[in-house]
Amino acid sequence: MTLYSYCLILLLFTWNTAAYGPNQRAQKKGDIILGGLFPIHFGVAAKDQDLKSRPESVECIRYNFRGFRWLQAMIFAIEEINSSPTLLPNMTLGYRIFDTCNTVSKALEATLSFVAQNKIDSLNLDEFCNCSEHIPSTIAVVGATGSGISTAVANLLGLFYIPQVSYASSSRLLSNKNQFKSFLRTIPNDEHQATAMADIIEYFRWNWVGTIAADDDYGRPGIEKFREEAEERDICIDFSELISQYSDEEEIQQVVEVIQNSTARVIVVFSSGPDLEPLIKEIVRRNITGKIWLASEAWASSSLIAMPEFFRVIGSTIGFALKAGQIPGFREFLQKVHPKKSTNNGFAKEFWEETFNCYLPDGSKNSPTSTSFHKGHEEGLGAGNGTSAFRPPCTGDENITSVETPYMDYTHLRISYNVYLAVYSIAHALQDIYTCTPGKGLFTNGSCADIKKVEAWQVLKHLRHLNFTNNMGEQVDFDEFGDLVGNYSIINWHLSPEDGSVVFEEVGHYNVYAKKGERLFINENKILWGGFSKEVPFSNCSRDCLPGTRKGIIEGEPTCCFECVDCPDGEYSDETDASACDKCPEDYWSNENHTSCIPKQIEFLAWTEPFGIALTLFAVLGIFLTSFVLGVFTKFRNTPIVKATNRELSYLLLFSLLCCFSSSLFFIGEPQNWTCRLRQPAFGISFVLCISCILVKTNRVLLVFEAKIPTSLHRKWWGLNLQFLLVFLCTFVQIVICVIWLYTAPPSSYRNHELEDEIIFITCHEGSLMALGFLIGYTCLLAAICFFFAFKSRKLPENFNEAKFITFSMLIFFIVWISFIPAYASTYGKFVSAVEVIAILAASFGLLACIFFNKVYIILFKPSRNTIEEVRCSTAAHAFKVAARATLRRSNVSRKRSNSLGGSTGSTPSSSISSKSNHEDPFPLPASAERQRQQQRGCKQKVSFGSGTVTLSLSFEEPQKNAMANRNAKRRNSLEAQNSDDSLMRHRALLPLQ
């Protein structure tokens, strides 16, 4: 069984070697062999395998000049290392390089060659075979290119722990060390590239894009990472399509239809050049222009795509390119290639034929039919398009520098430098093994590997711990995932003004080492959109929402498709495309355009506004009028009118009115804590003091006139001290209410934001509405009592009787404060203070006018009525009215009693009161003469009853009258006194009180 297995492995190796003849590999012997996998061709010819005969190896087509240059970079690096006196001295590196034809099958075919050779060496079969041509095991492999190919190769090499260092496979899936144990690479992970793509789209404020990806392990993971990054940045994807170079025409047509009908102008493409080429050709055929192409590094500089005839369609391409490196002497090495000189390179002959479009008679191609020459640029992929055309024989003297091909484009060495770096990485790992000191090695007990018998897994161990400085002075070390972190250059496609070719202008870079937000740099001045425009294209589902608006969701549409909604009042947005409007601070409000916040308008009943000025003027007018009345009463304090109104209480009443008018001023101006706490108590106490004075005045006169016999006790009881005490007690109750209010819930200044959005009303928060109700309620209670007494005193003598004026003033007071309650409850802001000021002024003016204006008028303009005779006459008239009512009441009682006894005729009582029924004085005097006569001779009053009119007459003693007049007056008064009742005597006794 063991011998059978050995034979099977030998058979496999023999078949594999036969499939790769001398002209299909580059091979050189050495002490240590490195394997290489490069895409010398772009693909394989489609061939129907019907299995009617033994399957043949498929033919590789479309020559890749870039792939051959990459192969040359590996050979150059190995020869440079072999000639180095310091790196692996006395050791020679050999190589075995195969063509993958950009397909997984060919790559695995080559990989089997590496694995089989290693297994033969491990079996030690020298006794069974001729080992004169024995080739050592492959201890490491450089390659492959595409991520899909590297994935397949890594799965196979990983089984035997053969290190694989890729120079162009950037799929993030390959960072999974659980699956790809021996895979490393000198190209950055696609994860950074996908993030950079999303950053570019965000930089240009695009949010509506389409995605296209190659249907392999490179395109699918790359575009998936981009989707994740786009979602974080609120970038919406309109369409997402997969492509392949082997897609049939119908599939390509469908993808092109999607692109043509999409409103997204930016298209993100994760693909290689060969996979993208069929799609681009169809787009060019349909002339679909106006799209912006965001290219991954695999095709951003591909000469398959970057062709002048395609430029009108994809001229707005922005792509990523790897950081270029420098390889000293590589240019000269490329120029030395020749089929006769490059004996170890079996691909040199085909390269020569493709470059000069000729054939070598003794070359690998026996037929003059081959592929035609195709030009490319930069680091792009050049290819020969298969056509049946006759080629002349090659002379061998052709000049390689006379032909422009991607092979000779060494200005920006990106992938070539990665190949160079991969070879040096393996060489430095071998150098670490070569210089290893026993006891300090990486293996068990610090042991070292034997460089002459080194195995692949030992090289892999040292590669994982590699750390060296490359020829550009940069530190090279693989991370835990086997990756090298690198930066990207950002390029923009331009048309060369010299020859019309596509050139790649570097317009920025992406630094993965920088912190987030600072990684991307773009010089917009260098970018040409469509080859000529400087204006950044628009690729958004909706137009930008201007400041002052926000994005509104449209039902059923992606989040990037929105409508612009104006910010509501009180909110603003100061940026374009705001997702939400921000609320203004509490003391601010949005401006008219909702682009910023401005301070809210502050309102209170100000001194300077017209309404405040008017109220202030009325308050000042009230203070002036009250002061004027007080001055008049002070000047005429000894006149009967002033005395009759109880001048001391009148002074106090006028002072309280001054306080009332003054208290209204506390309601005007910006409310402060102290004014808020002072204004209501000042108003309440002032009005209670005023009403208390009126109440005591009215009640005093009423009690005196209604007393049966005025005595000294009444005079003492109603003395000034007691009157002031009652006023104080009434006012003290209000003071207690105010003190309790201020202690338990003091009013304070309050900034009200709730009444109107744009205005801050500075008002007084009363602290307790119940306390305010008690304050006003107590005032109204005193006013009601005062109104009751005033109404009851309405028939007193006019000079004593302020009752009707007090009644009117109390009615005004009630009307004002009853109206105040609903007005106060229904208004807000500064008008609350205005309503209360108006109420205070109206009530104060009502009291001042009703109580004092009539008296001031008599004092100033009717001095004839301000005499003691006028006062006494009024008092006596009231007494006679009362006496007459009493006399008539007794007369009626006597008449009824006489009629009941015998029906005798009634007699009129004897009295000096003369009764005149139903007739008048035939010769009346004029009013002025009558008043003069009454002043000279006394008073005569008429009292009307239901049955007639009674005339009362009364004269007063004057020292200036003659004795006869005095005697007659005394006789007349004594006669009247005899016929009057106790009521008359009672009212005459009031005269000394005046």
Side-chain angles (χ1 to χ4, degrees):
M1 178 63 72
T2 306
L3 182 62
Y4 175 77
S5 300
Y6 294 162
C7 293
L8 181 62
I9 294 173
L10 285 172
L11 179 64
L12 176 64
F13 178 70
T14 304
W15 177 83
N16 189 267
T17 304
Y20 281 83
N23 293 325
Q24 292 179 299
R25 72 174 67 184
Q27 181 172 300
K28 183 180 180 179
K29 294 181 179 181
D31 299 322
I32 297 174
I33 301 297
L34 304 184
L37 297 174
F38 294 92
I40 308 302
H41 295 86
F42 282 116
V44 295
K47 188 174 182 179
D48 184 19
Q49 300 286 356
D50 56 6
L51 301 180
K52 291 181 179 180
S53 60
R54 179 185 293 274
E56 297 179 359
S57 180
V58 292
E59 181 185 2
C60 297
I61 59 173
R62 303 177 64 198
Y63 195 81
N64 182 4
F65 290 96
R66 282 182 79 196
F68 185 70
R69 173 154 52 84
W70 300 340
L71 180 148
Q72 290 286 81
M74 179 175 177
I75 295 175
F76 173 79
I78 291 175
E79 291 185 1
E80 191 175 63
I81 292 169
N82 288 337
S83 62
S84 172
T86 58
L87 190 59
L88 296 177
N90 303 320
M91 298 290 295
T92 302
L93 294 180
Y95 52 83
R96 295 174 66 208
I97 303 174
F98 297 99
D99 179 14
T100 65
C101 299
N102 204 36
T103 60
V104 173
S105 60
K106 286 291 183 180
L108 288 177
E109 196 174 341
T111 306
L112 283 173
S113 174
F114 302 141
V115 174
Q117 182 63 49
N118 284 22
K119 291 308 296 180
I120 290 173
D121 288 348
S122 66
L123 294 175
N124 193 17
L125 299 178
D126 292 344
E127 57 186 281
F128 296 99
C129 62
N130 182 10
C131 296
S132 58
E133 298 294 328
H134 175 66
I135 299 176
S137 300
T138 303
I139 54 93
V141 176
V142 176
T145 308
S147 296
I149 298 173
S150 287
T151 299
V153 172
N155 279 320
L156 184 55
L157 293 178
L159 294 174
F160 305 96
Y161 290 92
I162 300 174
Q164 174 189 358
V165 184
S166 176
Y167 49 84
S169 299
S170 56
S171 173
R172 60 179 182 146
L173 297 180
L174 292 167
S175 296
N176 185 354
K177 294 298 105 179
N178 291 326
Q179 185 176 358
F180 308 106
K181 302 177 179 62
S182 62
F183 181 84
L184 303 98
R185 52 187 164 191
T186 56
I187 186 173
N189 189 328
D190 274 341
E191 189 165 347
H192 297 296
Q193 185 176 189
T195 303
M197 285 181 167
D199 286 344
I200 287 180
I201 292 174
E202 186 179 34
Y203 176 85
F204 288 111
R205 303 182 65 83
W206 297 324
N207 65 13
W208 191 235
V209 301
T211 62
I212 296 175
D215 191 10
D216 56 21
D217 288 338
Y218 170 72
R220 288 191 303 269
I223 212 67
E224 183 61 33
K225 175 62 178 177
F226 170 77
R227 286 197 195 97
E228 295 174 4
E229 295 292 334
E231 187 176 354
E232 292 181 3
R233 294 164 173 79
D234 293 329
I235 299 169
C236 298
I237 298 175
D238 184 28
F239 64 87
S240 186
E241 299 292 334
L242 296 175
I243 59 173
S244 172
Q245 62 176 319
Y246 303 110
S247 299
D248 57 35
E249 186 176 351
E250 184 179 353
E251 292 175 338
I252 296 296
Q253 294 284 353
Q254 290 177 354
V255 175
V256 174
E257 287 287 343
V258 171
I259 295 173
Q260 190 170 16
N261 296 328
S262 173
T263 57
R265 295 189 62 187
V266 175
I267 301 176
V268 179
V269 183
F270 252 97
S271 175
S272 63
D275 286 324
L276 184 62
E277 184 186 19
L279 179 66
I280 295 299
K281 285 183 177 179
E282 180 61 25
I283 292 175
V284 171
R285 189 185 70 80
R286 294 196 184 192
N287 196 27
I288 302 175
T289 59
K291 301 295 183 180
I292 301 111
W293 299 84
L294 192 56
S296 64
E297 50 80 26
W299 73 274
S301 56
S302 171
S303 60
L304 281 178
I305 311 299
M307 300 176 65
E309 54 266 34
F310 295 167
F311 190 81
R312 73 178 189 276
V313 170
I314 56 173
S316 296
T317 299
I318 292 181
F320 290 86
L322 301 174
K323 184 179 179 182
Q326 302 294 328
I327 306 178
F330 186 51
R331 176 182 180 182
E332 292 75 14
F333 178 82
L334 292 177
Q335 294 174 355
K336 291 178 182 179
V337 65
H338 195 278
K340 295 181 180 180
K341 296 178 181 179
S342 304
T343 56
N344 296 321
N345 191 343
F347 302 104
K349 293 180 181 181
E350 186 180 1
F351 165 75
W352 198 265
E353 291 175 342
E354 294 295 336
T355 302
F356 299 105
N357 199 21
C358 62
Y359 75 95
L360 294 170
D362 57 343
S364 61
K365 295 189 182 293
N366 300 321
S367 172
T369 303
S370 184
T371 53
S372 63
F373 171 71
H374 180 77
K375 292 176 67 176
H377 301 281
E378 268 292 13
E379 185 94 354
L381 296 176
N385 296 330
T387 60
S388 298
F390 178 77
R391 286 182 173 181
C394 301
T395 63
D397 296 328
E398 292 85 0
N399 185 3
I400 192 70
T401 60
S402 64
V403 181
E404 184 179 349
T405 65
Y407 172 77
M408 290 301 297
D409 186 6
Y410 47 81
T411 54
H412 294 89
L413 299 176
R414 307 181 193 277
I415 300 296
S416 298
Y417 185 76
N418 285 352
V419 174
Y420 180 82
L421 190 60
V423 174
Y424 265 89
S425 298
I426 298 171
H428 277 279
L430 293 171
Q431 178 71 11
D432 291 341
I433 295 174
Y434 181 79
T435 59
C436 178
T437 303
K440 296 183 179 180
L442 300 177
F443 305 102
T444 306
N445 299 323
S447 61
C448 297
D450 186 359
I451 190 63
K452 295 181 179 180
K453 297 180 181 181
V454 66
E455 296 183 38
W457 65 272
Q458 295 172 326
V459 177
L460 177 61
K461 178 69 173 178
H462 277 271
L463 278 171
R464 289 178 177 177
H465 295 82
L466 184 67
N467 193 332
F468 73 98
T469 303
N470 62 14
N471 65 322
M472 296 179 64
E474 298 173 344
Q475 202 71 19
V476 177
D477 59 330
F478 296 101
D479 61 18
E480 56 181 325
F481 304 108
D483 300 335
L484 286 182
V485 180
N487 299 325
Y488 292 98
S489 297
I490 300 174
I491 59 175
N492 179 224
W493 290 12
H494 292 185
L495 271 181
S496 172
E498 300 174 357
D499 56 5
S501 62
V502 178
V503 295
F504 308 115
E505 180 71 23
E506 186 171 333
V507 296
H509 61 263
Y510 187 82
N511 184 3
V512 298
Y513 296 100
K515 61 182 180 180
K516 192 173 182 180
E518 299 179 359
R519 297 173 182 173
L520 180 66
F521 170 77
I522 293 180
N523 186 351
E524 291 189 53
N525 295 325
K526 291 185 176 182
I527 298 178
L528 292 178
W529 304 101
F532 60 89
S533 176
K534 289 284 188 180
E535 183 180 357
V536 178
F538 179 81
S539 184
N540 295 57
C541 184
S542 302
R543 286 288 174 181
D544 294 343
C545 288
L546 299 176
T549 62
R550 64 169 179 85
K551 295 187 290 187
I553 297 175
I554 301 176
E555 188 175 356
E557 296 290 338
T559 56
C560 298
C561 301
F562 51 82
E563 58 182 353
C564 296
V565 181
D566 291 336
C567 290
D569 292 338
E571 297 183 10
Y572 75 101
S573 66
D574 55 359
E575 59 184 12
T576 304
D577 275 348
S579 298
C581 299
D582 298 322
K583 277 189 170 295
C584 291
E586 188 178 24
D587 291 344
Y588 289 80
W589 193 250
S590 56
N591 61 1
E592 185 177 356
N593 297 325
H594 299 278
T595 56
S596 63
C597 290
I598 57 177
K600 287 184 179 180
Q601 180 182 350
I602 296 179
E603 280 201 4
F604 52 86
L605 188 60
W607 298 98
T608 55
E609 65 175 289
F611 200 22
I613 293 173
L615 294 177
T616 303
L617 290 178
F618 276 108
V620 172
L621 176 63
I623 294 172
F624 172 75
L625 291 177
T626 306
S627 301
F628 175 75
V629 172
L630 181 60
V632 170
F633 267 55
T634 303
K635 182 177 180 180
F636 296 95
R637 60 184 176 277
N638 294 320
T639 59
I641 289 290
V642 176
K643 289 182 177 181
T645 56
N646 197 337
R647 60 187 174 190
E648 288 79 8
L649 282 179
S650 296
Y651 293 156
L652 187 58
L653 175 59
L654 288 171
F655 171 75
S656 66
L657 286 174
L658 280 174
C659 294
C660 290
F661 284 114
S662 300
S663 67
S664 66
L665 297 177
F666 289 114
F667 292 83
I668 305 174
E670 182 177 353
Q672 305 290 338
N673 286 337
W674 69 272
T675 57
C676 290
R677 293 170 185 172
L678 182 61
R679 64 182 193 173
Q680 296 291 9
F683 140 71
I685 293 172
S686 300
F687 264 95
V688 165
L689 179 61
C690 177
I691 301 300
S692 299
C693 292
I694 297 172
L695 176 63
V696 170
K697 283 182 60 178
T698 305
N699 197 32
R700 171 184 173 275
V701 174
L702 179 65
L703 291 178
V704 169
F705 270 94
E706 289 190 350
K708 296 297 181 180
I709 299 177
T711 62
S712 61
L713 180 62
H714 287 88
R715 297 187 182 97
K716 182 179 180 181
W717 181 254
W718 287 105
L720 283 177
N721 293 335
L722 184 60
Q723 295 174 40
F724 285 124
L725 177 63
L726 290 175
V727 171
F728 170 76
L729 290 176
C730 292
T731 308
F732 181 74
V733 174
Q734 187 77 306
I735 293 174
V736 171
I737 292 174
C738 294
V739 170
I740 295 174
W741 182 8
L742 293 176
Y743 180 78
T744 57
S748 60
S749 177
Y750 171 63
R751 299 171 73 90
N752 195 328
H753 300 266
E754 300 174 357
L755 298 178
E756 289 190 19
D757 295 329
E758 302 178 20
I759 301 174
I760 299 176
F761 290 99
I762 303 181
T763 59
C764 285
H765 186 271
E766 302 300 349
S768 172
L769 289 178
M770 182 180 294
L772 179 62
F774 275 117
L775 183 141
I776 297 177
Y778 178 69
T779 305
C780 291
L781 175 64
L782 290 181
I785 297 172
C786 185
F787 175 79
F788 170 75
F789 285 121
F791 181 78
K792 192 173 181 181
S793 304
R794 67 189 183 280
K795 296 181 180 180
L796 292 181
E798 182 178 355
N799 289 57
F800 287 93
N801 187 15
E802 299 170 309
K804 64 180 179 180
F805 300 112
I806 293 174
T807 302
F808 290 147
S809 66
M810 292 299 104
L811 285 174
I812 293 173
F813 184 88
F814 281 124
I815 291 172
V816 167
W817 290 108
I818 290 174
S819 302
F820 164 78
I821 294 173
Y824 185 86
S826 60
T827 54
Y828 60 89
K830 65 180 181 181
F831 299 106
V832 174
S833 298
V835 165
E836 193 160 358
V837 171
I838 292 173
I840 293 172
L841 293 179
S844 300
F845 274 113
L847 293 173
L848 178 65
C850 292
I851 296 175
F852 291 102
F853 280 6
N854 181 55
K855 295 177 176 57
V856 172
Y857 174 77
I858 293 174
I859 293 172
L860 295 180
F861 301 105
K862 299 293 182 179
S864 59
R865 296 177 58 184
N866 190 15
T867 60
I868 188 65
E869 290 83 2
E870 187 74 16
V871 174
R872 288 177 177 176
C873 180
S874 176
T875 304
H878 178 75
F880 279 120
K881 288 178 184 179
V882 174
R885 287 192 186 96
T887 302
L888 291 177
R889 191 182 304 111
R890 286 195 300 270
S891 175
N892 290 334
V893 172
S894 299
R895 188 180 299 112
K896 290 179 181 178
R897 189 178 301 154
S898 299
N899 290 336
S900 63
L901 292 176
S904 60
T905 58
S907 59
T908 303
S910 176
S911 169
S912 65
I913 302 175
S914 61
S915 176
K916 295 191 286 182
S917 300
N918 302 322
H919 67 273
E920 301 291 339
D921 190 353
F923 303 101
L925 292 175
S928 59
E930 178 67 22
R931 185 179 296 110
Q932 184 177 3
R933 189 181 69 176
Q934 289 182 6
Q935 290 177 355
Q936 293 174 356
R937 299 177 59 184
C939 293
K940 188 175 287 186
Q941 297 288 338
K942 293 182 180 182
V943 183
S944 297
F945 300 98
S947 59
T949 303
V950 178
T951 301
L952 305 176
S953 62
L954 181 65
S955 62
F956 302 101
E957 297 180 1
E958 293 184 13
Q960 294 82 6
K961 301 292 181 177
N962 53 40
M964 183 60 71
N966 291 336
R967 284 194 299 270
N968 292 335
K970 291 179 180 180
R971 189 179 298 113
R972 188 164 52 251
N973 289 337
S974 62
L975 182 61
E976 293 171 352
Q978 292 173 2
N979 294 285
S980 62
D981 59 2
D982 294 339
S983 176
L984 177 62
M985 294 301 297
R986 178 172 63 249
H987 288 283
R988 292 189 64 186
L990 283 170
L991 294 177
L993 294 176
Q994 311 304 321

